[in-house]
Every structure is written in structure tokens, then in C-alpha cells.
Amino acid sequence: MENIDLILIIKHIIIGLVQGFTEPIPVSSSGHVMIASEVLGLGEQGFTFAILTNTASLLAIVYIYREDIVRLITNFFLYLKTGKNRYKADFRFAVFIVIGSIPAGVLGVLLRDVIADNVSMTTIALMLFVTGIALWLIRNMRGTKKDADLTAKDAIIVGLGQAVALTPGISRSGATIISAVAVGMKQETALRFSFMLYIPVSLGGVVLGISDFLNEPNKGELAIPYASTFIVTLFMTYFAMRWFMGIMKSGKLSYFTYYCFLVGTLLLIFY
């Protein structure tokens, strides 16, 4: 029995590594978790498990951007209070984050129970090809828009990209970064806006999933595997995000195009 439990813990640790590594990078974490679960024989992971891993990734992203988050919130309210121009750029950026979060938030609530239903490995493979093609198309784009140059239209377009990424196999970070670069954002702004959009949507998912987590019938039995997954996901997301920030600075997104094509092809061959 102990041996079986140990194997289960190891499998969940592997899932945590996969989730943590793929959450920040443009290759679809949800698709990779489904692939890893299939390979490891764990079957489909439930909504509770998705909430658990997303919470771990959320905490890592919030920690990385903690200074930006504090500044945006502070300056948002300072602008409302004083109307001073020096707070206006951060006020507008915060408003655009809210605007950009709406499409995925609405669809996430409406389609919560059907988004991942009947998703096959073929579907994930095809969506990885879509992600790879989109990354290839924007690989050489270098925008000029900084935080202060963004518009409501930019926020809506990037927000729609995030909504599309609710489909497993379509990368959330990929869809938002692709959309952000396509509307002319600089790499640094595109990256920051992408992951600022991730925070409210992910936080909303956590809130919606609290009741599911509390009512999980097997949570006592799965406490150690789940805790292991959470810890591994937390740290792996942090290190993967730091690595990806370096990739964005170097402008080498085409690497992820090749990876998406490779994984997509392997899925079509073996599944």
C-alpha cells in the first residue's frame, strides 16, 4: 500500500513539474497536464486539481510581479483621489487589466463545466499547431507601445486572446502575448500585461472553485499527493517564469513554435 501511495505521490510531483514549467511559457499548461496525466495513467484531472495547481502558479506570478501590483493598486486609488497626472498611466493600465479580463472571466463562468469535456489528444495536437503558427507569425515583430500608450481597444483584443485560450492546447500566455505583440506592444509591456491579465482571471477561478475543493470526496486520501503537486508547481512556476522573462528579452519566441509543432506531431502519431 505504501509503495502504491509513493508512486501516486511521484506521479503528482511530475504533474506539478509539468504544470509549473508550462504555465508561464506559450505551450499550453492545460494541454500538457492532460498529456502528462494520460501518459502516467492518472486519467482526467478534475476541476479541484486544476484549481489547486492554478492557485500555486498564481501565487508564484503574484510574487514575481508584487512590486508592479502594489504600485498599480496604490496609484489607481491615488489618481481617483487626487487626479494628478503622475498617477494617470498606472490608473489607465489598471483599468485596461480589468477590461481585458472580462472576456475570459465571462466565458469561464458560462462554460466552466464544458470547456474541457471530451477534449481529445488530437484536439490538443491541433491547438498546439495553431499556437505554433501564431507564434511564428509574430516572431519578428517589435512593437513600440509602452504601458502608457495602451488603449481600451488593445486591452479588449488581448482579452479576447485570453478567452480563446480557455480551449486546452491553446496557450494562455501564448495567446495573450501574441495578441499584445500584434497590437504593437513592446516585449516587456506585452509580457507584463499578459501576466497581469492572468492574475484576476485565475483568482476568479480560485474563488469559484473553493466550494468544489471543500466538497472533494477524496481530499483526505489525496492530501499528500495534492500538497506535493502544489509545492512543486509553486516553485517550478517561479523558475520557469524567470527563465521565460529572459527569453522574451532575447526575442526568441520561435523556439516555442518548433516545440509546439514537435509535440503536436508526436500526439498525432502516437494518439
Side-chain angles (χ1 to χ4, degrees):
M1 187 69 169
E2 292 182 1
N3 187 47
I4 293 175
D5 289 342
L6 179 60
I7 292 173
L8 184 63
I9 291 169
I10 291 172
K11 287 182 177 181
H12 276 79
I13 287 174
I14 293 172
I15 295 292
L17 290 170
V18 171
Q19 162 68 24
F21 183 68
T22 57
E23 179 59 55
I25 64 177
V27 297
S28 177
S29 60
S30 60
H32 276 71
V33 167
M34 289 183 182
I35 295 168
S37 298
E38 179 75 16
V39 171
L40 293 171
L42 288 174
E44 185 178 344
Q45 299 299 315
F47 188 69
T48 299
F49 186 83
I51 291 298
L52 184 77
T53 54
N54 284 335
T55 301
S57 290
L58 172 64
L59 290 175
I61 299 299
V62 166
Y63 180 77
I64 289 172
Y65 283 107
R66 63 193 182 281
E67 293 180 0
D68 290 295
I69 293 168
V70 170
R71 189 192 75 250
L72 286 171
I73 293 174
T74 301
N75 290 349
F76 176 86
F77 287 107
L78 283 173
Y79 182 78
L80 287 178
K81 181 179 179 180
T82 68
K84 291 183 178 179
N85 200 50
R86 68 173 180 266
Y87 304 127
K88 187 175 182 180
D90 283 337
F91 171 81
R92 293 177 75 250
F93 195 85
V95 170
F96 294 152
I97 290 171
V98 174
I99 292 173
S101 301
I102 292 172
V106 171
L107 286 179
V109 172
L110 295 177
L111 304 178
R112 171 182 164 185
D113 296 324
V114 300
I115 286 171
D117 284 355
N118 302 315
V119 176
S120 66
M121 292 295 111
T122 300
T123 300
I124 294 173
L126 294 177
M127 293 304 101
L128 284 171
F129 279 117
V130 171
T131 299
I133 291 169
L135 286 168
W136 180 258
L137 292 175
I138 59 99
R139 70 192 185 285
N140 295 322
M141 290 185 182
R142 297 292 181 272
T144 58
K145 291 183 180 179
K146 299 180 181 179
D147 294 10
D149 302 317
L150 303 188
T151 65
K153 180 181 177 181
D154 296 333
I156 292 171
I157 290 173
V158 179
L160 290 172
Q162 181 164 250
V164 170
L166 291 171
T167 306
I170 294 289
S171 165
R172 192 215 64 83
S173 65
T176 51
I177 288 172
I178 289 164
S179 302
V181 171
V183 298
M185 293 187 201
K186 291 176 66 70
Q187 301 279 354
E188 182 181 353
T189 299
L191 183 68
R192 181 163 49 252
F193 193 69
S194 168
F195 284 96
M196 287 297 178
L197 281 184
Y198 168 77
I199 293 171
V201 170
S202 183
L203 185 60
V206 171
V207 172
L208 287 174
I210 288 176
S211 61
D212 295 82
F213 183 79
L214 294 176
N215 294 323
E216 170 64 54
N218 299 320
K219 62 175 178 286
E221 170 187 337
L222 294 171
I224 294 178
Y226 274 17
S228 302
T229 303
F230 184 90
I231 293 169
V232 171
T233 300
L234 177 68
F235 285 99
M236 181 55 73
T237 300
Y238 175 82
F239 290 114
M241 184 64 195
R242 288 296 187 190
W243 174 71
F244 183 55
M245 291 169 85
I247 293 290
M248 282 294 291
K249 285 182 180 179
S250 67
K252 296 179 179 177
L253 284 174
S254 58
Y255 291 166
F256 298 106
T257 290
Y258 307 138
Y259 177 82
C260 288
F261 287 168
L262 174 62
V263 175
T265 300
L266 290 174
L267 285 177
L268 290 178
I269 292 173
F270 293 104
Y271 288 95

